[in-house]
Amino acid sequence: MDTSQLLKGVLDLAVLAVLRDDDGYGYDILRRLRTAGLSEIGDASVYGTLRRLFAAGYLTTYVVPSEEGPHRKYYALNAAGRTQLKQGAEVWGEFASTMNTLLRERA
Amino acid sequence: MSEQSDIAQYAAQVGAALSDLPEQVRNDLLEDLPAHLAEVAAELRAEGAGATLADRLGPPSAYAAELRATLGHTGGPSRTAALVGRAVGRVQQRWRGVDRGLGPVIGYERLGDFLALLRPAWWVVRGWLAAMLVAQLWRDGDGPGLLPRLEGSTLLGLFLTAGAVIGSIWFGRRTLARPPARRSARLALGGATAVLAVFGLVLVVEADDRAARGYWETAGGYVVNPYDQVSDVFVLGADGQVIPGARIVDQTGNPVLIGWCAQSNHNAFDANWEWRIVYPACPDVTPPQLPWAPASPAPLPWASPSPGGVIPSPSADPATASPSAAAPSAKPSLTPSAQVSPGS
């Protein structure tokens, strides 16, 4: 099964999750997701998701100057984003356990 | 700097690939892209492998496709989109059932196969409807016929119809070969089709209505039955007295039925019921008060052309006078109104 299809539905949650403890800028967030094991994820997916979460009011941004390159735009969870992450985690937990049960029975 | 122009070019190509998105969505998506790409380029430089943006991110078209895929899975407007999508899905599923179920009934594998054959017929009808609609916009007064008339001219209308049909066929072939790519164009086409379909439906219903009921059309373009106030008819003899049990016939000798009583008091299964109608036909209608009869004789209105121009008349409404015209022997100008009772 193609992981990227599964990823589509949970990309928001994954991005919110890697921002839970530390703020991050675009490329940094991509790197965290890949390091966490989502190796198929693309830069455009992360960038697009960040834009959308920001537009939806879950993220705040600030710019940090960088010495050897362009400024970096950092994204941070706000209160709405944390609530969204918490709710999303619950939904995911239920969904995953349902799927696990289902697959164990049928396998 | 070549890196700067690289970034600008890459961003522009991504933007071009997303040009079909609504302005707002597109701007939200692309606003930050150059800055983001600059970050990525800086990372690539730091890695020192000499990779370009396209090496790392793939071609701009692929990047745009991935970006597009991230649209619409958080709440907000995507919920509506999802609801609409599900509704459309249900309709499509139902249609597939009908498509496969009804097709064999008329000897086709699918109903859609048959409907596709009818497409050119629809193009012709569409042209005719368009011509009718155009003619309708210019028309004042009477309702539409079945041919468009421009300024009352059927010939002009026929030219218009021919032009519209040819245009519609041409357009139909074109859209069949190359359906409009832009969403707005598809919506406009669908909307125009819906307008024509509704207009056609109204046209057919109106035409049917007109064909089903008899119409008196006057020159002024307004439609009225001059006899619809008449409930009964009294036939007068030369002496001015009501002739009881009279029959009225037209110029071919067929019975004429005037008034609600004559038209409704019958048994439709009775073969010659028209001939059984005699006037006055209403069982309980009193004859009109005729000023010349019986005791104080006034001159009969048709005996001497009234000197003062005063015509004794039970009814002032000229419309109710017209039934006398149905009696073939009477000269309409001489028998204006005396024999008709006013509608009660």
Side-chain angles (χ1 to χ4, degrees):
Chain A
M1 186 179 228
D2 191 356
T3 321
S4 66
Q5 286 299 319
L6 293 176
L7 201 53
K8 267 186 189 172
V10 293
L11 197 52
D12 288 5
L13 199 53
V15 170
L16 290 172
V18 296
L19 287 172
R20 181 177 44 204
D21 297 327
D22 288 311
D23 303 348
Y25 60 94
Y27 201 80
D28 179 36
I29 293 165
L30 175 66
R31 204 152 37 202
R32 289 186 205 172
L33 288 166
R34 284 189 170 161
T35 309
L38 299 174
S39 55
E40 286 184 36
I41 214 161
D43 181 71
S45 300
V46 174
Y47 168 74
T49 303
L50 283 170
R51 290 306 301 167
R52 203 157 33 73
L53 290 172
F54 174 71
Y58 299 135
L59 302 177
T60 51
T61 62
Y62 52 91
V63 172
V64 174
S66 152
E67 274 132 45
E68 75 278 14
H71 299 328
R72 283 176 178 157
K73 190 172 205 170
Y74 274 76
Y75 290 86
L77 286 187
N78 59 19
R82 291 193 187 279
T83 313
Q84 180 71 10
L85 174 59
K86 194 159 157 279
Q87 285 172 355
E90 281 166 15
V91 171
W92 170 256
E94 280 172 32
F95 180 76
S97 76
T98 306
M99 282 307 293
N100 285 338
T101 313
L102 195 63
L103 291 171
R104 256 199 306 279
E105 279 170 357
R106 298 292 151 91
Chain B
M1 281 175 70
S2 95
E3 189 184 282
Q4 283 300 324
S5 66
D6 250 18
I7 290 168
Q9 198 186 359
Y10 196 92
Q13 282 170 345
V14 171
L18 297 174
S19 61
D20 60 312
L21 291 178
E23 189 82 12
Q24 173 80 46
V25 177
R26 189 165 167 267
N27 286 346
D28 279 353
L29 211 51
L30 298 179
E31 188 185 27
D32 236 14
L33 188 61
H36 174 73
L37 292 177
E39 278 179 28
V40 175
E43 298 286 339
L44 292 179
R45 209 167 344 107
E47 284 169 16
T52 65
L53 276 179
D55 291 340
R56 176 56 59 95
L57 302 176
S61 59
Y63 194 90
E66 200 181 327
L67 209 48
R68 185 193 295 272
T70 66
L71 284 171
H73 17 96
T74 6
S78 62
R79 259 180 90 104
T80 329
L83 280 178
V84 170
R86 272 204 295 276
V88 168
R90 272 200 297 274
V91 169
Q92 279 173 342
Q93 199 174 0
R94 195 154 299 172
W95 162 248
R96 276 196 290 274
V98 171
D99 196 23
R100 298 221 175 106
L102 283 187
V105 175
I106 52 170
Y108 287 82
E109 195 176 329
R110 291 167 184 221
L111 186 58
D113 295 344
F114 173 67
L115 292 180
L117 293 177
L118 292 184
R119 203 177 268 136
W122 159 242
W123 296 341
V124 172
V125 171
R126 179 173 64 181
W128 171 69
L129 282 176
M132 288 296 287
L133 188 61
V134 168
Q136 198 62 26
L137 297 179
W138 258 274
R139 172 185 299 264
D140 42 6
D142 48 347
L146 290 178
L147 278 179
R149 283 178 190 81
L150 275 187
E151 313 267 334
S153 159
T154 311
L155 189 66
L156 268 182
L158 282 175
F159 275 122
L160 174 69
T161 310
V165 167
I166 290 169
S168 172
I169 293 171
W170 173 83
F171 185 67
R173 287 173 58 89
R174 216 190 88 142
T175 47
L176 184 63
R178 266 184 297 129
R182 304 232 324 256
R183 210 173 119 82
S184 55
R186 282 201 301 274
L187 279 178
L189 183 61
T193 304
V195 166
L196 277 188
V198 169
F199 172 69
L201 207 63
V202 170
L203 210 62
V204 167
V205 167
E206 261 190 40
D208 176 68
D209 203 31
R210 223 142 358 103
R213 116 178 102 92
Y215 256 64
W216 281 260
E217 234 168 291
T218 65
Y222 109 24
V223 174
V224 62
N225 175 355
Y227 306 130
D228 63 3
Q229 293 302 309
V230 176
S231 64
D232 205 356
V233 172
F234 293 85
V235 181
L236 303 189
D239 56 356
Q241 299 301 313
V242 172
I243 299 175
R247 289 188 167 81
I248 305 178
V249 296
D250 65 10
Q251 69 287 345
T252 55
N254 291 320
V256 172
L257 300 174
I258 299 173
W260 303 334
C261 291
Q263 287 165 2
S264 59
N265 287 345
H266 69 269
N267 178 359
F269 298 104
D270 185 353
N272 280 320
W273 65 271
E274 290 101 331
W275 282 114
R276 291 188 222 293
I277 302 293
V278 294
Y279 297 94
C282 298
D284 51 359
V285 161
T286 45
Q289 286 299 313
L290 302 172
W292 59 85
S296 54
L300 295 177
W302 55 90
S304 58
S306 52
V310 179
I311 294 170
S313 164
S315 157
D317 183 1
T320 58
S322 327
S324 62
S329 60
K331 288 176 85 178
S333 61
L334 288 182
T335 58
S337 58
Q339 60 223 97
V340 173
S341 77
S344 43

